Amino acid sequence: MSDAGLYIVATPIGNLGDLSPRAKEILTNADVIAAEDTRVAKKLFSLLGIPLYKTFITYEDHSEQERFQEIIDFINDGKMVALISDAGSPLISDPGFKLVRECRKQGIKVTTLPGACAVICALQLSGLPTNRFMFAGFVPNKDKARCDLFSELKNINTTLVLYETALRLEKTLAALEQVMPRREIAVVREISKMYEECISGSIAEVRERLLQNPVKGEIVLVIAPPADGEQATPDIEELLREELKHSTVKEAVRKICDTYKLKRNDVYEKALELKNKQ
């Protein structure tokens, strides 16, 4: 039996055989299971043959703050608490870091049991550079927010990894092609399952393939770093000088912002400055 404390346990993202013996031992011996969804957790335990005679509590975004002290009280009473997500490694685009931080403040033991993580698996399957990468979370579901995110990320010289759903994938790839048209990408799905698949190539090639054969399920999108010679940041002043020769300030700003996905206020201020100089 292990000591009281908080145990961050990675669970399978597809193949149940990926759960480590150590993780299964902790889940079996834990007194309390803090789960994203207790129904999903109990189903997993049943499939793994782990007894359900333990306390299951919900720990997710809406209940995170109120669960802090409850979980800490369990641990202070000598209990083992295992924190799990629905699948994969907890805290990766899931709640949990605030709990870990609070446990650290109160001198409570915190340890992690490594295991499946869709971010790492997708990188391994993608064939894209892995020496340096950035996980950017879930792609926003609103058009403007989606384009704003890609505009923010496009100048970062590293491989990018994001989570997406199959239903929104086409809109996401269309926005990505508009903002980063020259990038190589990989769409990874069904990791560790029977129909595991990695579709890679240029954005246009991947979009064409997906239009012919739509995919289902949860998606990990991997985007290559900027290619050599890819323009990192447009010369706003030079663009405005050319546009202002034959356009009004308003028209020039609109065109440049729409083309390069720039913040309108910044471009507008620069346009007014140039117009006043003229």
Side-chain angles (χ1 to χ4, degrees):
M1 180 73 69
S2 298
D3 298 331
L6 179 68
Y7 295 79
I8 304 166
V9 184
T11 55
I13 56 178
N15 193 315
L16 293 178
D18 292 336
L19 185 75
S20 72
R22 179 175 170 233
K24 186 171 183 178
E25 179 185 3
I26 291 295
L27 294 179
T28 299
N29 294 331
D31 304 292
V32 179
I33 305 297
E36 186 178 356
D37 186 327
T38 57
R39 295 166 300 180
V40 174
K42 289 177 180 178
K43 181 178 179 180
L44 173 65
F45 277 46
S46 295
L47 291 171
L48 292 169
I50 299 175
L52 297 175
Y53 51 84
K54 53 185 84 257
T55 301
F56 286 82
I57 62 173
T58 301
Y59 189 82
E60 40 90 37
D61 284 327
H62 302 296
S63 66
E64 187 173 15
Q65 193 72 39
E66 65 192 53
R67 291 295 192 189
F68 275 174
Q69 201 55 48
E70 181 181 359
I71 290 173
I72 288 171
D73 287 345
F74 276 126
I75 297 171
N76 285 333
D77 287 341
K79 307 291 187 184
M80 288 176 57
V81 178
L83 175 66
I84 64 174
S85 65
D86 284 350
S89 296
L91 281 78
I92 307 302
S93 271
D94 279 330
F97 84 88
K98 294 177 184 177
L99 172 61
V100 171
R101 184 168 58 191
E102 189 60 29
C103 286
R104 293 290 185 206
K105 286 181 181 178
Q106 297 191 31
I108 290 172
K109 174 183 176 179
V110 180
T111 190
T112 182
L113 284 74
C117 177
V119 173
I120 302 303
C121 293
L123 276 166
Q124 292 169 327
L125 291 169
S126 70
L128 298 177
T130 57
N131 57 312
R132 183 182 182 202
F133 66 89
M134 173 182 172
F135 174 56
F138 285 90
V139 178
N141 58 11
K142 300 293 185 181
D143 291 343
K144 184 179 185 305
R146 188 184 293 119
C147 287
D148 287 346
L149 175 64
F150 289 150
S151 296
E152 175 188 342
L153 297 175
K154 70 178 181 180
N155 294 329
I156 300 176
N157 187 24
T158 189
T159 298
L160 303 170
V161 187
L162 302 102
Y163 288 159
E164 184 54 293
T165 64
L167 289 175
R168 295 200 302 260
L169 184 58
E170 170 52 26
K171 284 187 177 181
T172 290
L173 294 183
L176 184 62
E177 188 169 25
Q178 188 176 17
V179 179
M180 312 182 204
R182 296 176 55 190
R183 298 297 177 91
E184 184 180 354
I185 65 169
V187 170
V188 186
R189 70 181 195 95
E190 296 291 284
I191 295 172
S192 82
K193 301 177 184 177
M194 182 181 295
Y195 298 106
E196 178 180 279
E197 183 177 23
C198 178
I199 304 167
S200 60
S202 69
I203 301 173
E205 290 170 344
V206 172
R207 287 184 71 191
E208 178 62 27
R209 182 169 170 183
L210 291 175
L211 285 173
Q212 295 175 1
N213 298 287
V215 294
K216 297 180 180 180
E218 300 299 318
I219 302 294
V220 184
L221 174 62
V222 187
I223 306 169
D228 291 340
E230 184 174 338
Q231 186 179 24
T233 304
D235 187 332
I236 298 174
E237 187 168 328
E238 183 59 30
L239 292 170
L240 282 168
R241 289 185 191 281
E242 288 299 314
E243 287 297 327
L244 288 172
K245 291 178 181 178
H246 49 77
S247 302
T248 65
V249 168
K250 185 176 180 180
E251 290 171 343
V253 170
R254 179 187 58 76
K255 183 175 180 180
I256 291 171
C257 288
D258 289 347
T259 301
Y260 295 95
K261 305 302 175 186
L262 301 173
K263 293 183 178 178
R264 196 170 297 273
N265 287 344
D266 295 343
V267 180
Y268 190 75
E269 288 179 8
K270 177 62 71 174
L272 289 179
E273 181 182 327
L274 289 174
K275 195 71 174 176
N276 290 333
K277 286 181 181 179
Q278 294 175 357

